[in-house]
Amino acid sequence: MRTYVRKMRAAFYYAGNVIISGSTYQFSMKMSKTTENVLSNIYKPSLSNVLSPVTLKHMVREWLKEDTPNFDYGGFVVGEKEETALLLIKSPGVVAGKPFFDAIFKELDCVVSWECEEGDFLEPIQCIAIVTGKVRQLLLGERVALNCLSRASGIASLARQLAKIKEAKGWKGEIAGTRKTTPGFRLVEKYALLVGSVSTHRHDLSSMIMLKDNHIWTSGSITQVYIYMYIVI
């Protein structure tokens, strides 16, 4: 699936200094509601758990360094006054990329409070998150965070559309993404496919053996390809 899709539009607005903001036990073969609630809270599966926090932190630092490699002139102008920013969704779509958004602002010592869940389909215009922190830090993370969230949400939205078409047609195959991703942004785009309910396929050349015409032509024959592969696996 091609990943050159339209971004879901989002906007970042500043709101000044205003921050929006007895059980019974019994023995029974049937689980009590209290027990069920306790057990359900022990582990809540989240797609964000597939992301390595070490990798995430490294990526975020590289993104921020790319956007502000030396002097932060804008930060010098605005200073470090505490401010609150609102994240508004401006076009319909699936929300995706919250872990990246969170990691960016965590690196900048800002706090994010969400008003929606990852994978929710939302209609505009509404506030989906509130970010608080020093205004200089908010502005440092603004564009990087919006780029990640918009890109991931655009991919997840299209993926969700394709997944629904597949379901409606009763097709038993699998819709999967390819390695045709934006260099340096593959993790974000593959993660967005998961949020959109389609398969990520392979993440890189090392993930599985997949030999195509070019490999066979260069090697001489399919038999020779198998001989070479037998040596390394």
Side-chain angles (χ1 to χ4, degrees), residues 11-20 82-88 101 105 111-113 127 129-133 138-139 142:
F12 214 49
Y13 286 94
Y14 298 99
N17 273 330
V18 182
I19 300 179
I20 313 296
E82 287 289 325
E83 290 286 4
T84 298
L86 307 180
L87 175 65
L88 304 181
F101 192 95
F105 283 110
V111 178
V112 181
S113 175
C127 175
I130 300 166
V131 188
T132 57
L138 291 172
L139 291 172
E142 173 191 7

Side-chain angles (χ1 to χ4, degrees), residues 78-96:
V78 299
E80 296 193 331
K81 182 175 60 172
E82 287 289 325
E83 290 286 4
T84 298
L86 307 180
L87 175 65
L88 304 181
I89 181 172
K90 298 178 67 179
S91 61
V94 175
V95 176

Side-chain angles (χ1 to χ4, degrees), residues 3-16:
T3 55
Y4 297 95
V5 298
R6 180 178 63 84
K7 293 180 179 178
M8 186 174 76
R9 296 175 59 206
F12 214 49
Y13 286 94
Y14 298 99

Side-chain angles (χ1 to χ4, degrees), residues 10-70:
F12 214 49
Y13 286 94
Y14 298 99
N17 273 330
V18 182
I19 300 179
I20 313 296
S21 48
S23 303
T24 301
Y25 295 92
Q26 60 181 17
F27 289 99
S28 173
M29 293 299 291
K30 185 177 181 181
M31 187 183 298
S32 70
K33 195 65 178 179
T34 301
T35 305
E36 186 178 347
N37 289 340
V38 170
L39 292 177
S40 66
N41 285 327
I42 291 175
Y43 177 64
K44 292 183 177 180
S46 171
L47 282 178
S48 63
N49 291 340
V50 304
L51 301 171
S52 163
V54 176
T55 301
L56 201 54
K57 190 170 187 176
H58 172 74
M59 290 177 64
V60 164
R61 288 184 171 179
E62 291 301 309
W63 292 337
L64 292 171
K65 283 163 57 179
E66 177 188 51
D67 204 40
T68 313
N70 39 67

